[in-house]
Amino acid sequence: DAKTTQPTSMDCAEGRAANLPCNHSTISGNEYVYWYRQIHSQGPQYIIHGLKNNETNEMASLIITEDRKSSTLILPHATLRDTAVYYCIVRVGGSQSNFGNEKLTFGTGTRLTIIP
Amino acid sequence: NAGVTQTPKFQVLKTGQSMTLQCAQDMNHEYMSWYRQDPGMGLRLIHYSVGAGITDQGEVPNGYNVSRSTTEDFPLRLLSAAPSQTSVYFCASSSLAGQYFGPGTRLTVT
């Protein structure tokens, strides 16, 4: 799986949009970008994933650059409950997941703190 | 639908003791895995299974055994606990969308 690079930490004011960047310059054509978050002491939580098109769900939006070498997770109206560590992961998978290669590699992620 | 459940939530062991961490999922997922997370670090894969009767090693398998006799259950066994195994253990099961994690087991080995 391709390696990702994320800032160690970020702050965001409550109610504002939180934009979390991720670099994955060695991503392969069949690798998807996944985002998870981990709220203190809890298990990681799936947020969103995408291949090359921008994606949106009830939690967040994912913007992937045209060359797919970087992406941004957007939490449109951050709340205090969004304070967590956010992990950007690239892996083979998505709509045609290769279950023999489901080994997610978690880095250290971005610690996002929402400021009241 | 309970998702992924883990027991116990907390456990203290003495060096050399053995124990089994339980993990169960009710989503009929074929793929399940075990991770450990040490303070301030990301998750590291211990073992995984792509279906009943099939298991394989992850990044840090030493000192741990797994088995997968049913789709629902994926227990993790510590054969002879060591202080280096003090960690938080997460079990996960996978669908096409992504992995779903249990609440974790916090293990301390003294």
Side-chain angles (χ1 to χ4, degrees):
Chain A
D1 289 344
K3 181 177 177 178
T4 62
T5 304
Q6 299 177 252
T8 302
S9 63
M10 293 180 62
D11 293 339
C12 179
E14 187 179 15
R16 302 295 295 270
N19 297 276
L20 289 87
C22 179
N23 287 322
H24 32 78
S25 58
T26 59
I27 191 170
S28 301
N30 62 347
E31 287 183 312
Y32 286 69
V33 180
Y34 279 72
W35 282 84
Y36 288 77
R37 72 181 183 184
Q38 187 172 24
I39 297 170
H40 182 63
S41 298
Q42 298 181 22
Q45 176 189 23
Y46 165 81
I47 302 173
I48 198 168
H49 76 286
L51 180 63
K52 56 183 178 181
N53 297 321
N54 297 338
E55 302 287 343
T56 296
N57 62 20
E58 64 279 2
M59 291 182 67
S61 295
L62 174 60
I63 308 299
I64 303 173
T65 58
E66 191 169 341
D67 63 7
R68 302 206 327 121
K69 294 185 176 181
S70 66
S71 61
T72 301
L73 177 75
I74 301 172
L75 309 177
H77 304 288
T79 70
L80 297 179
R81 287 181 294 180
D82 291 322
T83 291
V85 177
Y86 287 77
Y87 296 98
C88 169
I89 299 160
V90 293
R91 71 167 180 93
V92 175
S95 59
Q96 293 184 354
S97 180
N98 176 2
F99 287 105
N101 192 30
E102 278 279 359
K103 293 179 281 188
L104 296 183
T105 300
F106 285 79
T108 53
T110 296
R111 182 171 298 277
L112 175 67
T113 302
I114 306 301
I115 310 296
Chain B
N1 189 327
V4 180
T5 58
Q6 290 183 238
T7 57
K9 290 186 178 179
F10 301 95
Q11 182 71 50
V12 178
L13 291 178
K14 295 186 187 305
T15 297
Q17 287 184 314
S18 63
M19 78 158 295
T20 300
L21 279 63
Q22 301 292 343
C23 174
Q25 53 95 5
D26 60 0
M27 297 174 282
N28 203 34
H29 292 166
E30 291 295 328
Y31 188 92
M32 297 183 72
S33 52
W34 276 101
Y35 293 85
R36 61 177 287 175
Q37 185 174 35
D38 299 324
M41 297 182 64
L43 281 76
R44 292 185 291 169
L45 181 67
I46 305 172
H47 284 286
Y48 67 99
S49 168
V50 299
I54 306 170
T55 64
D56 205 347
Q57 296 181 349
E59 180 185 356
V60 288
N62 292 340
Y64 308 95
N65 273 359
V66 292
S67 60
R68 186 88 180 276
S69 56
T70 66
T71 299
E72 294 77 19
D73 301 298
F74 190 42
L76 177 73
R77 281 184 291 278
L78 279 71
L79 308 172
S80 177
S84 61
Q85 293 178 303
T86 293
S87 190
V88 181
Y89 292 83
F90 291 102
C91 177
S93 72
S94 176
S95 72
L96 292 177
Q99 287 194 334
Y100 298 87
F101 287 82
T105 293
R106 189 173 296 273
L107 176 68
T108 301
V109 183
T110 61

PDB file of all heavy atoms in Angstrom, chain A residues 42-58:
ATOM      1  N   GLN A  42     -11.633   5.165  21.686  1.00  0.00           N
ATOM      2  CA  GLN A  42     -12.586   4.358  20.936  1.00  0.00           C
ATOM      3  C   GLN A  42     -11.910   3.705  19.741  1.00  0.00           C
ATOM      4  O   GLN A  42     -10.796   4.067  19.363  1.00  0.00           O
ATOM      5  CB  GLN A  42     -13.759   5.218  20.454  1.00  0.00           C
ATOM      6  CG  GLN A  42     -14.562   5.846  21.575  1.00  0.00           C
ATOM      7  CD  GLN A  42     -15.721   6.671  21.029  1.00  0.00           C
ATOM      8  OE1 GLN A  42     -16.173   6.467  19.916  1.00  0.00           O
ATOM      9  NE2 GLN A  42     -16.192   7.607  21.845  1.00  0.00           N
ATOM     10  N   GLY A  43     -12.590   2.742  19.129  1.00  0.00           N
ATOM     11  CA  GLY A  43     -12.081   2.141  17.912  1.00  0.00           C
ATOM     12  C   GLY A  43     -12.198   3.102  16.737  1.00  0.00           C
ATOM     13  O   GLY A  43     -13.040   3.989  16.732  1.00  0.00           O
ATOM     14  N   PRO A  44     -11.342   2.946  15.731  1.00  0.00           N
ATOM     15  CA  PRO A  44     -11.425   3.806  14.548  1.00  0.00           C
ATOM     16  C   PRO A  44     -12.794   3.703  13.886  1.00  0.00           C
ATOM     17  O   PRO A  44     -13.432   2.658  13.904  1.00  0.00           O
ATOM     18  CB  PRO A  44     -10.325   3.250  13.637  1.00  0.00           C
ATOM     19  CG  PRO A  44      -9.344   2.614  14.568  1.00  0.00           C
ATOM     20  CD  PRO A  44     -10.186   2.031  15.667  1.00  0.00           C
ATOM     21  N   GLN A  45     -13.206   4.800  13.285  1.00  0.00           N
ATOM     22  CA  GLN A  45     -14.522   4.891  12.650  1.00  0.00           C
ATOM     23  C   GLN A  45     -14.331   5.249  11.189  1.00  0.00           C
ATOM     24  O   GLN A  45     -13.653   6.231  10.867  1.00  0.00           O
ATOM     25  CB  GLN A  45     -15.359   5.961  13.359  1.00  0.00           C
ATOM     26  CG  GLN A  45     -16.726   6.211  12.733  1.00  0.00           C
ATOM     27  CD  GLN A  45     -17.429   7.419  13.335  1.00  0.00           C
ATOM     28  OE1 GLN A  45     -16.793   8.309  13.889  1.00  0.00           O
ATOM     29  NE2 GLN A  45     -18.739   7.448  13.230  1.00  0.00           N
ATOM     30  N   TYR A  46     -14.947   4.480  10.308  1.00  0.00           N
ATOM     31  CA  TYR A  46     -14.885   4.778   8.885  1.00  0.00           C
ATOM     32  C   TYR A  46     -15.623   6.091   8.593  1.00  0.00           C
ATOM     33  O   TYR A  46     -16.709   6.335   9.126  1.00  0.00           O
ATOM     34  CB  TYR A  46     -15.524   3.629   8.100  1.00  0.00           C
ATOM     35  CG  TYR A  46     -15.857   3.954   6.661  1.00  0.00           C
ATOM     36  CD1 TYR A  46     -14.876   3.918   5.677  1.00  0.00           C
ATOM     37  CD2 TYR A  46     -17.154   4.298   6.289  1.00  0.00           C
ATOM     38  CE1 TYR A  46     -15.179   4.206   4.357  1.00  0.00           C
ATOM     39  CE2 TYR A  46     -17.462   4.591   4.987  1.00  0.00           C
ATOM     40  CZ  TYR A  46     -16.473   4.534   4.010  1.00  0.00           C
ATOM     41  OH  TYR A  46     -16.781   4.830   2.714  1.00  0.00           O
ATOM     42  N   ILE A  47     -15.027   6.945   7.733  1.00  0.00           N
ATOM     43  CA  ILE A  47     -15.670   8.208   7.372  1.00  0.00           C
ATOM     44  C   ILE A  47     -16.122   8.180   5.914  1.00  0.00           C
ATOM     45  O   ILE A  47     -17.295   8.358   5.599  1.00  0.00           O
ATOM     46  CB  ILE A  47     -14.730   9.407   7.594  1.00  0.00           C
ATOM     47  CG1 ILE A  47     -14.276   9.480   9.054  1.00  0.00           C
ATOM     48  CG2 ILE A  47     -15.417  10.708   7.186  1.00  0.00           C
ATOM     49  CD1 ILE A  47     -13.207  10.535   9.292  1.00  0.00           C
ATOM     50  N   ILE A  48     -15.161   7.979   5.014  1.00  0.00           N
ATOM     51  CA  ILE A  48     -15.460   8.123   3.589  1.00  0.00           C
ATOM     52  C   ILE A  48     -14.325   7.513   2.794  1.00  0.00           C
ATOM     53  O   ILE A  48     -13.225   7.338   3.323  1.00  0.00           O
ATOM     54  CB  ILE A  48     -15.660   9.619   3.247  1.00  0.00           C
ATOM     55  CG1 ILE A  48     -16.392   9.811   1.921  1.00  0.00           C
ATOM     56  CG2 ILE A  48     -14.318  10.352   3.262  1.00  0.00           C
ATOM     57  CD1 ILE A  48     -16.858  11.260   1.711  1.00  0.00           C
ATOM     58  N   HIS A  49     -14.575   7.178   1.537  1.00  0.00           N
ATOM     59  CA  HIS A  49     -13.496   6.747   0.670  1.00  0.00           C
ATOM     60  C   HIS A  49     -13.819   7.137  -0.769  1.00  0.00           C
ATOM     61  O   HIS A  49     -14.979   7.405  -1.109  1.00  0.00           O
ATOM     62  CB  HIS A  49     -13.228   5.243   0.794  1.00  0.00           C
ATOM     63  CG  HIS A  49     -14.229   4.359   0.100  1.00  0.00           C
ATOM     64  ND1 HIS A  49     -15.501   4.154   0.593  1.00  0.00           N
ATOM     65  CD2 HIS A  49     -14.147   3.622  -1.037  1.00  0.00           C
ATOM     66  CE1 HIS A  49     -16.145   3.312  -0.200  1.00  0.00           C
ATOM     67  NE2 HIS A  49     -15.351   2.978  -1.200  1.00  0.00           N
ATOM     68  N   GLY A  50     -12.779   7.162  -1.613  1.00  0.00           N
ATOM     69  CA  GLY A  50     -12.973   7.498  -3.014  1.00  0.00           C
ATOM     70  C   GLY A  50     -11.793   7.048  -3.855  1.00  0.00           C
ATOM     71  O   GLY A  50     -10.712   6.764  -3.336  1.00  0.00           O
ATOM     72  N   LEU A  51     -12.020   7.008  -5.163  1.00  0.00           N
ATOM     73  CA  LEU A  51     -10.980   6.596  -6.098  1.00  0.00           C
ATOM     74  C   LEU A  51     -10.396   7.807  -6.818  1.00  0.00           C
ATOM     75  O   LEU A  51      -9.199   8.067  -6.747  1.00  0.00           O
ATOM     76  CB  LEU A  51     -11.537   5.598  -7.107  1.00  0.00           C
ATOM     77  CG  LEU A  51     -10.553   5.073  -8.143  1.00  0.00           C
ATOM     78  CD1 LEU A  51      -9.418   4.292  -7.471  1.00  0.00           C
ATOM     79  CD2 LEU A  51     -11.266   4.203  -9.172  1.00  0.00           C
ATOM     80  N   LYS A  52     -11.226   8.533  -7.551  1.00  0.00           N
ATOM     81  CA  LYS A  52     -10.723   9.728  -8.242  1.00  0.00           C
ATOM     82  C   LYS A  52     -11.738  10.856  -8.289  1.00  0.00           C
ATOM     83  O   LYS A  52     -11.366  12.009  -8.426  1.00  0.00           O
ATOM     84  CB  LYS A  52     -10.272   9.379  -9.647  1.00  0.00           C
ATOM     85  CG  LYS A  52     -11.329   8.713 -10.511  1.00  0.00           C
ATOM     86  CD  LYS A  52     -10.737   8.345 -11.864  1.00  0.00           C
ATOM     87  CE  LYS A  52     -11.776   7.624 -12.737  1.00  0.00           C
ATOM     88  NZ  LYS A  52     -11.199   7.243 -14.049  1.00  0.00           N
ATOM     89  N   ASN A  53     -13.007  10.518  -8.122  1.00  0.00           N
ATOM     90  CA  ASN A  53     -14.032  11.562  -8.089  1.00  0.00           C
ATOM     91  C   ASN A  53     -14.231  12.056  -6.668  1.00  0.00           C
ATOM     92  O   ASN A  53     -13.973  11.349  -5.703  1.00  0.00           O
ATOM     93  CB  ASN A  53     -15.349  11.017  -8.620  1.00  0.00           C
ATOM     94  CG  ASN A  53     -15.247  10.599 -10.066  1.00  0.00           C
ATOM     95  OD1 ASN A  53     -14.581  11.263 -10.867  1.00  0.00           O
ATOM     96  ND2 ASN A  53     -15.881   9.506 -10.412  1.00  0.00           N
ATOM     97  N   ASN A  54     -14.677  13.288  -6.546  1.00  0.00           N
ATOM     98  CA  ASN A  54     -14.996  13.810  -5.223  1.00  0.00           C
ATOM     99  C   ASN A  54     -16.205  13.064  -4.678  1.00  0.00           C
ATOM    100  O   ASN A  54     -17.107  12.669  -5.414  1.00  0.00           O
ATOM    101  CB  ASN A  54     -15.278  15.305  -5.307  1.00  0.00           C
ATOM    102  CG  ASN A  54     -14.070  16.083  -5.772  1.00  0.00           C
ATOM    103  OD1 ASN A  54     -12.938  15.614  -5.651  1.00  0.00           O
ATOM    104  ND2 ASN A  54     -14.299  17.262  -6.307  1.00  0.00           N
ATOM    105  N   GLU A  55     -16.200  12.846  -3.372  1.00  0.00           N
ATOM    106  CA  GLU A  55     -17.265  12.107  -2.717  1.00  0.00           C
ATOM    107  C   GLU A  55     -17.814  12.902  -1.546  1.00  0.00           C
ATOM    108  O   GLU A  55     -17.081  13.670  -0.909  1.00  0.00           O
ATOM    109  CB  GLU A  55     -16.758  10.751  -2.208  1.00  0.00           C
ATOM    110  CG  GLU A  55     -16.161   9.841  -3.261  1.00  0.00           C
ATOM    111  CD  GLU A  55     -17.199   9.240  -4.183  1.00  0.00           C
ATOM    112  OE1 GLU A  55     -18.402   9.266  -3.824  1.00  0.00           O
ATOM    113  OE2 GLU A  55     -16.819   8.734  -5.259  1.00  0.00           O
ATOM    114  N   THR A  56     -19.096  12.704  -1.271  1.00  0.00           N
ATOM    115  CA  THR A  56     -19.739  13.365  -0.125  1.00  0.00           C
ATOM    116  C   THR A  56     -20.698  12.392   0.519  1.00  0.00           C
ATOM    117  O   THR A  56     -21.396  11.654  -0.161  1.00  0.00           O
ATOM    118  CB  THR A  56     -20.499  14.627  -0.569  1.00  0.00           C
ATOM    119  OG1 THR A  56     -19.569  15.578  -1.091  1.00  0.00           O
ATOM    120  CG2 THR A  56     -21.234  15.265   0.607  1.00  0.00           C
ATOM    121  N   ASN A  57     -20.700  12.384   1.836  1.00  0.00           N
ATOM    122  CA  ASN A  57     -21.725  11.640   2.568  1.00  0.00           C
ATOM    123  C   ASN A  57     -22.178  12.499   3.749  1.00  0.00           C
ATOM    124  O   ASN A  57     -21.859  13.692   3.830  1.00  0.00           O
ATOM    125  CB  ASN A  57     -21.221  10.258   2.997  1.00  0.00           C
ATOM    126  CG  ASN A  57     -20.039  10.309   3.944  1.00  0.00           C
ATOM    127  OD1 ASN A  57     -19.794  11.338   4.595  1.00  0.00           O
ATOM    128  ND2 ASN A  57     -19.313   9.209   4.014  1.00  0.00           N
ATOM    129  N   GLU A  58     -22.909  11.879   4.643  1.00  0.00           N
ATOM    130  CA  GLU A  58     -23.499  12.655   5.734  1.00  0.00           C
ATOM    131  C   GLU A  58     -22.446  13.146   6.722  1.00  0.00           C
ATOM    132  O   GLU A  58     -22.722  14.040   7.523  1.00  0.00           O
ATOM    133  CB  GLU A  58     -24.552  11.828   6.467  1.00  0.00           C
ATOM    134  CG  GLU A  58     -24.016  10.598   7.186  1.00  0.00           C
ATOM    135  CD  GLU A  58     -23.799   9.409   6.257  1.00  0.00           C
ATOM    136  OE1 GLU A  58     -24.027   9.540   5.038  1.00  0.00           O
ATOM    137  OE2 GLU A  58     -23.405   8.347   6.765  1.00  0.00           O
TER     138      GLU A  58
END
